[in-house]
Amino acid sequence: MNAIETKNVVVESFNTDFQRRLNYEVLGRDLLNTAEQHANRRGFGVDDVTAKNHAWVLSRMAIEMQEMPKMFTELSISTWIESIYRLFTNRNFSIKGQDGTVYGYARSIWAMIDRTTRSPIELDQLYHDQFVPYIDTDEPCPIAPQTHIRPLKEAELTKEHKVVASDIDYNCHVNSMKYIQHLCDLIPLDEYKTKRLSRIEIAYISETHFGDTLHFYTSCKDGDTILVEARKDNGEVAVRGLLRTVAITA
Amino acid sequence: MNAIETKNVVVESFNTDFQRRLNYEVLGRDLLNTAEQHANRRGFGVDDVTAKNHAWVLSRMAIEMQEMPKMFTELSISTWIESIYRLFTNRNFSIKGQDGTVYGYARSIWAMIDRTTRSPIELDQLYHDQFVPYIDTDEPCPIAPQTHIRPLKEAELTKEHKVVASDIDYNCHVNSMKYIQHLCDLIPLDEYKTKRLSRIEIAYISETHFGDTLHFYTSCKDGDTILVEARKDNGEVAVRGLLRTVAITA
């Protein structure tokens, strides 16, 4: 089996935004579903790791798009493992049209936890032999690595969100892709008429549960970049994020 | 071309809820994407009607599920036109496993508007010849028609939601399937551990825009049925809905 898994998806009409382009939340889920298919076919998918009482946990994600594909575009999403460390593995993605057009790339960092203790397991030790045949260090992923986002000092409370049932995943915490939606929604609709979101990053810090309220704080780093920190009621940070916009040229 | 269009979809891992079953919002979008494919291939899809300065508008939707399919289930979603009236058309759906298992059915009622005046157009007059070859009155859709949901008199304010960018569709109003998510989220997570949502209905009354706040009022009709009314700041009703639950037996 190849190191790279590719999944073809179509940008469906009802998965697009007000400009009829794919939205980041659906793209994020398409990326994770492709990652799941990659892992599944190579023996370390959700059913395989659940059987060992383990769970994959997404630690960081960065998606950078040169252009967001329009409605009905036929996409090929590819994913591969770039590296494995003691507790983490780096998984990259490319998002291309089936005609070869490059739309963007993504980088992700994953850990695996024990479902009972919720502690990270020794990934490289326990899954080394399964992962190694599929590591691909040659495939290019020409976007910057994840930024180290520091705690925000001066930040403005921009939004509050009480966690609802549809936010919650099988691990009983807020679905990682729902955060993408909540972060994208920190930018008002009017701004999306002249700018597009070119890069989004999220670092997942602590788990959030049903009943928690997320308080989204934002800080402008420069004209184009917004830093985000989502805190829980007790002040603990749930996620940190980064949103970068560029003017729409076409 | 056949009167019935069928689209095969897989219940993707990251499109499931905390019980690893397909969620209603994703199912709703799968239904609408199948409807779009049906219309598209028969000359009255989104691009065709936009070229005439028209837009499809969903007026009512009812989805009733005997069981919500589990993660990785391979589904066949079918849709067909049951009837056409002067201003409305009835479109039905079946949701089955590719092995024939029946999961559920849905009924929908659509109007078409002029994109400039936002007024309904004479559907049967303007699209009669295109629709008639594809009407199928024989295909069964064994669920009750949409309930006529009356204005709620005694109701409790259960949730408020300020409309965000990701709620908005190409017609610049709140995406009809986002309402499904907001309605499903009126039931607390704990209740979903012992009950499942067997039927959801929505009647779309007036358009909601970015910046509006939706005030969700609920009223228990009996132990198993909740009636919902979402009102805007000015008191105008945006949608009315119905949620029916049954105890989980398996």
Side-chain angles (χ1 to χ4, degrees):
Chain A
M1 183 155 309
N2 198 310
I4 302 180
E5 180 77 21
T6 299
K7 190 174 165 88
N8 291 332
V9 299
V10 175
V11 178
E12 299 280 4
S13 171
F14 291 91
N15 295 347
T16 59
D17 65 10
F18 76 105
Q19 290 169 322
R20 284 191 176 161
R21 290 181 186 265
L22 182 60
N23 76 53
Y24 269 92
E25 188 209 349
V26 174
L27 171 61
R29 283 195 269 145
D30 285 340
L31 297 180
L32 297 196
N33 287 326
T34 307
E36 172 57 29
Q37 184 170 306
H38 176 280
N40 228 358
R41 291 185 173 169
R42 288 161 184 81
F44 41 90
V46 57
D47 284 340
D48 304 298
V49 306
T50 304
K52 294 178 182 169
N53 201 35
H54 295 157
W56 280 111
V57 174
L58 182 57
S59 172
R60 279 155 180 264
M61 186 84 168
I63 308 174
E64 188 166 322
M65 300 299 284
Q66 296 173 28
E67 184 192 346
M68 215 26 142
K70 290 179 185 162
M71 181 172 74
F72 299 143
T73 304
E74 296 180 318
L75 294 178
S76 281
I77 298 178
S78 294
T79 185
W80 62 96
I81 299 175
E82 189 187 56
S83 50
I84 301 181
Y85 300 97
R86 192 169 71 92
L87 300 176
F88 293 100
T89 175
N90 289 338
R91 173 184 284 287
N92 296 341
F93 301 86
S94 65
I95 302 112
K96 298 181 183 176
Q98 284 172 30
D99 62 359
T101 311
V102 173
Y103 288 99
Y105 293 89
R107 292 178 173 277
S108 63
I109 302 175
W110 297 76
M112 209 185 285
I113 60 166
D114 181 288
R115 287 175 55 84
T116 309
T117 65
R118 314 300 284 176
S119 302
I121 62 146
E122 298 277 338
L123 191 63
D124 192 28
Q125 197 175 33
L126 291 170
Y127 287 87
H128 181 272
D129 293 350
Q130 277 171 278
F131 284 9
V132 164
Y134 304 119
I135 294 179
D136 188 325
T137 54
D138 295 333
E139 186 67 18
C141 188
I143 62 168
Q146 284 88 348
T147 314
H148 181 70
I149 308 168
R150 287 162 203 246
L152 295 195
K153 281 181 185 159
E154 290 179 21
E156 186 185 350
L157 179 61
T158 304
K159 192 174 88 168
E160 294 191 308
H161 173 71
K162 193 166 160 56
V163 172
V164 289
S166 66
D167 287 320
I168 301 297
D169 67 14
Y170 184 67
N171 293 314
C172 285
H173 55 246
V174 174
N175 178 324
S176 49
M177 294 304 105
K178 282 284 172 178
Y179 279 111
I180 290 201
Q181 184 194 310
H182 296 314
L183 260 64
C184 292
D185 281 333
L186 295 171
I187 299 177
L189 191 69
D190 272 355
E191 293 195 28
Y192 279 120
K193 290 174 182 167
T194 57
K195 296 194 277 192
R196 68 175 188 85
L197 191 58
S198 59
R199 183 174 170 107
I200 181 166
E201 288 189 42
I202 307 196
Y204 300 92
I205 316 283
S206 69
E207 296 177 358
T208 308
H209 302 90
F210 183 77
D212 285 342
T213 297
L214 288 165
H215 309 260
F216 290 88
Y217 288 83
T218 57
S219 166
C220 285
K221 196 180 163 195
D222 55 53
D224 300 327
T225 306
I226 299 166
L227 298 177
V228 185
E229 198 167 86
R231 300 177 195 154
K232 294 185 267 191
D233 285 330
N234 63 4
E236 196 183 2
V237 175
V239 302
R240 291 202 179 90
L242 178 152
L243 299 164
R244 185 174 299 149
T245 56
V246 291
I248 294 173
T249 49
Chain B
M1 185 159 302
N2 199 309
I4 302 180
E5 180 78 21
T6 298
K7 191 175 166 84
N8 292 332
V9 299
V10 174
V11 178
E12 299 280 5
S13 170
F14 291 91
N15 296 346
T16 58
D17 65 10
F18 76 104
Q19 289 169 322
R20 284 192 175 159
R21 291 181 186 264
L22 183 60
N23 76 54
Y24 269 93
E25 187 210 350
V26 174
L27 171 62
R29 283 195 269 145
D30 286 341
L31 297 180
L32 297 195
N33 288 326
T34 308
E36 171 58 29
Q37 184 170 305
H38 176 278
N40 229 357
R41 291 186 173 167
R42 288 160 185 82
F44 41 89
V46 58
D47 285 340
D48 305 298
V49 306
T50 304
K52 294 177 182 171
N53 200 35
H54 296 157
W56 280 112
V57 174
L58 182 57
S59 171
R60 278 155 181 265
M61 186 84 168
I63 307 173
E64 189 166 320
M65 301 297 286
Q66 294 173 27
E67 183 191 346
M68 213 27 140
K70 290 179 186 162
M71 181 170 74
F72 300 142
T73 304
E74 296 180 318
L75 293 179
S76 281
I77 298 178
S78 295
T79 185
W80 63 96
I81 299 175
E82 187 187 59
S83 50
I84 301 181
Y85 301 97
R86 192 169 71 90
L87 301 176
F88 293 99
T89 177
N90 289 338
R91 173 186 284 286
N92 296 341
F93 301 86
S94 66
I95 302 112
K96 297 181 184 176
Q98 285 172 31
D99 62 358
T101 312
V102 173
Y103 288 100
Y105 293 90
R107 293 178 172 276
S108 63
I109 303 176
W110 298 75
M112 209 185 284
I113 60 165
D114 180 289
R115 287 176 56 84
T116 309
T117 64
R118 316 299 285 177
S119 300
I121 62 148
E122 297 277 339
L123 191 64
D124 193 28
Q125 199 174 34
L126 292 170
Y127 287 86
H128 181 272
D129 292 351
Q130 278 171 276
F131 285 7
V132 164
Y134 305 118
I135 294 178
D136 189 325
T137 54
D138 294 332
E139 186 67 19
C141 187
I143 62 168
Q146 284 87 349
T147 314
H148 181 70
I149 308 169
R150 288 162 202 246
L152 295 197
K153 282 181 184 157
E154 288 178 23
E156 185 185 350
L157 179 61
T158 304
K159 192 174 86 167
E160 294 191 308
H161 173 72
K162 193 165 161 58
V163 173
V164 289
S166 66
D167 287 322
I168 301 297
D169 66 14
Y170 184 67
N171 294 314
C172 284
H173 55 246
V174 174
N175 179 322
S176 48
M177 293 306 104
K178 282 284 171 178
Y179 280 111
I180 291 200
Q181 183 194 311
H182 295 315
L183 260 65
C184 291
D185 281 333
L186 294 171
I187 299 177
L189 190 70
D190 272 354
E191 292 195 29
Y192 279 121
K193 291 175 182 166
T194 57
K195 296 194 278 193
R196 69 176 187 86
L197 191 58
S198 59
R199 183 173 170 108
I200 180 166
E201 288 190 43
I202 308 198
Y204 299 92
I205 316 284
S206 69
E207 297 177 359
T208 308
H209 302 90
F210 183 77
D212 285 342
T213 297
L214 288 165
H215 308 261
F216 290 89
Y217 288 83
T218 57
S219 167
C220 285
K221 197 181 165 194
D222 56 54
D224 299 327
T225 305
I226 299 166
L227 299 176
V228 185
E229 199 167 83
R231 299 176 196 155
K232 295 185 269 191
D233 285 330
N234 63 6
E236 196 182 3
V237 175
V239 302
R240 290 201 179 91
L242 178 153
L243 299 165
R244 185 174 300 148
T245 55
V246 290
I248 294 173
T249 47

